Amino acid sequence: MTTTKLLKTAGLVAVLAYASSASAQDDSQLVINGEIEMITEVATQDYIGGLKTAYSGWRFRNSDMQAMQLDDFENPAAIAVDEGLASWSKVDGSEGKSCASCHEDLEASMAGVRAVYPKWNEEAGAVMTLASQINNCRTEQMGAEAWKYDGTEMTGMEAVISLQSRGMPVNVAVDGPAHDAWLKGEEIYYTRYGQLELSCANCHEDNADNYIRADHLSQGQINGFPAFRLKTGGLVQVQNRFKGCIRDTRAETFKPGSEEFVALELYVASRGNGLSVEAPSVRP
Amino acid sequence: MKRTAIALAALIGSGTFVSAETVTPDNVVMDEYGSIEASLTGVAGDPAAGAEVMSSRGLGNCVACHQVSALSAAFQGNVGPSLDGAADRWEEAQLRGIVSNAKMTFPDSVMPSFYKTSGFIRPGNAFTGKAAEGALEPLLTAQQIEDVVAYLATLKE
């Protein structure tokens, strides 16, 4: 993908953001590159009390924005994905290794990984996100410095790894040793933070499909993350998105990578168990 | 009438007359149904200023959640009901109560409490994402609440 293409895309932002009111949540089919059929609507598991059907955020976008995700040549995330791809085989750190030194072929080694993260890690004795697993390999395996949790390098790497699971159903485990973290995430999801006293559920469960000023509220699903946001013109890490939503309630946010956000990520992922991994998606 | 009282209070000084003082968020007198009978400032609200507070993103931004036909603000939301005809449904004291702390009228409402300064979980320093420092200001001042109430009182069908 060329820079010209990206610039053209950036020019679209203003138009898209204010395009005539987004088509109310419709029953459009998401088929990427004419071949990968995506599940954008699925019955939730019984443990998700407040939500019967999960819908991908794609379903709430207007048709112009939806179209940008249909074809990888239209998807503005391509540049970040290319960068992630380059860093997969880039040697870094005291051990003189790259990701490829150990994991070899990206497609073969990372297929299906994104679909099951966040996931309990026995050795760490904690739930790990894709980002914390990547940083763990950097510091423990490569002797390299950890990337900023929601920085550009991390987000690009997450995107290229997620791409290897695109179209596969999200399937995070919520029981067993991960259950405590899941419960904590659920509690955070329903807590009304900040001076505006709004919980994730107030907006994304009670009011999904409503408009809050110009914003068409989705269910706040994370199957599309990292997502390319037209508003900022860049790829956004999922916990960075959480941070923005909490900040907008006039609250003190949690930090990306914090125990709270890891728990929240696991819980929110489980609300979308069964939706296809859609990353990198295109969002407002 | 009010103005005379204030002028008199100023003349006579403290003691004899209680001057029209702003009621702080912690001293608001609300009945069991969530109504606030007395003005928060003693100064009549200005409906035009109230319309501005309701439309502006930096102030009340009520149109984020409510549709109001008489306001020209773009992109009015639908999280809450339309406020058209609100004055036919509610008395002034009820409107003052709803705008100050809607949760006392509608338990568990998603509508923010615009005249409240305590009882929050992880309150932030405005929209910075950082922790609040020192005492919180209410989302709207007492006079802005009165202005909004005065505007809502014009919404008759």
Side-chain angles (χ1 to χ4, degrees), chain B residues 17-140:
Chain B
F17 278 80
V18 178
S19 64
E21 269 185 10
T22 298
V23 180
T24 60
D26 288 338
N27 289 319
V28 170
V29 180
M30 191 178 258
D31 74 14
E32 57 183 309
Y33 304 108
S35 296
I36 302 173
E37 225 34 78
S39 162
L40 299 177
T41 60
V43 177
D46 169 4
E52 174 61 23
V53 169
M54 290 185 59
S55 306
S56 161
R57 281 173 208 276
L59 296 170
N61 200 13
C62 316
V63 294
C65 292
H66 294 287
Q67 181 265 333
V68 186
S69 304
L71 292 175
S72 59
F75 302 118
Q76 303 186 1
N78 63 350
V79 164
S82 167
L83 297 183
D84 291 355
D88 299 326
R89 294 186 289 277
W90 306 97
E91 305 288 334
E92 182 189 302
Q94 292 175 310
L95 289 170
R96 186 178 289 111
I98 293 172
V99 180
S100 301
N101 189 352
K103 291 171 191 77
M104 307 312 276
T105 304
F106 312 111
D108 302 324
S109 180
V110 298
M111 179 161 156
S113 301
F114 288 92
Y115 203 60
K116 183 179 131 172
T117 48
S118 57
F120 304 114
I121 302 171
R122 295 176 73 88
N125 181 355
F127 291 109
T128 60
K130 301 205 166 68
E133 283 168 29
L136 287 172
E137 294 291 323
L139 294 171
L140 295 177

Side-chain angles (χ1 to χ4, degrees), chain A residues 1-190:
Chain A
M1 180 174 279
T2 63
T3 316
T4 344
K5 178 128 198 178
L6 186 77
L7 289 177
K8 260 209 262 163
T9 315
L12 271 176
V13 176
V15 182
L16 283 175
Y18 298 104
S20 60
S21 79
S23 50
Q25 183 195 321
D26 54 25
D27 56 1
S28 317
Q29 291 293 308
L30 175 55
V31 180
I32 294 179
N33 301 335
E35 57 181 30
I36 316 174
E37 283 185 29
M38 311 290 274
I39 299 162
T40 59
E41 172 178 350
V42 74
T44 55
Q45 303 294 314
D46 291 342
Y47 50 72
I48 305 298
L51 189 68
K52 290 213 151 43
T53 310
Y55 294 102
S56 161
W58 183 82
R59 290 283 289 274
F60 298 84
R61 308 312 7 138
N62 65 34
S63 50
D64 291 345
M65 211 181 295
Q66 286 186 334
M68 297 175 78
Q69 225 184 290
L70 292 180
D71 180 340
D72 282 346
F73 286 105
E74 300 292 333
N75 190 323
I79 289 198
V81 168
D82 283 349
E83 283 167 6
L85 193 60
S87 88
W88 177 258
S89 42
K90 194 172 146 213
V91 172
D92 196 5
S94 59
E95 304 304 301
K97 293 204 157 101
S98 72
C99 316
S101 314
C102 297
H103 295 289
E104 299 179 12
D105 184 54
L106 172 69
E107 239 179 281
S109 62
M110 293 294 143
V113 170
R114 162 69 168 82
V116 297
Y117 272 78
K119 177 180 154 185
W120 178 259
N121 183 300
E122 201 53 58
E123 212 171 304
V127 169
M128 285 180 89
T129 59
L130 191 53
S132 50
Q133 176 65 64
I134 292 169
N135 262 345
N136 195 50
C137 279
R138 286 186 55 82
T139 57
E140 307 308 308
Q141 306 280 356
M142 297 166 66
E145 266 181 50
W147 278 327
K148 181 172 183 238
Y149 193 93
D150 56 349
T152 314
E153 288 104 337
M154 178 63 83
T155 311
M157 181 58 78
E158 278 190 285
V160 79
I161 290 177
S162 300
L163 202 53
Q164 314 312 319
S165 298
R166 198 165 62 170
M168 297 179 189
V170 174
N171 183 23
V172 295
V174 305
D175 45 11
H179 194 62
D180 284 351
W182 183 85
L183 282 174
K184 180 172 186 168
E186 181 188 42
E187 187 195 323
I188 293 173
Y189 194 85
Y190 287 98

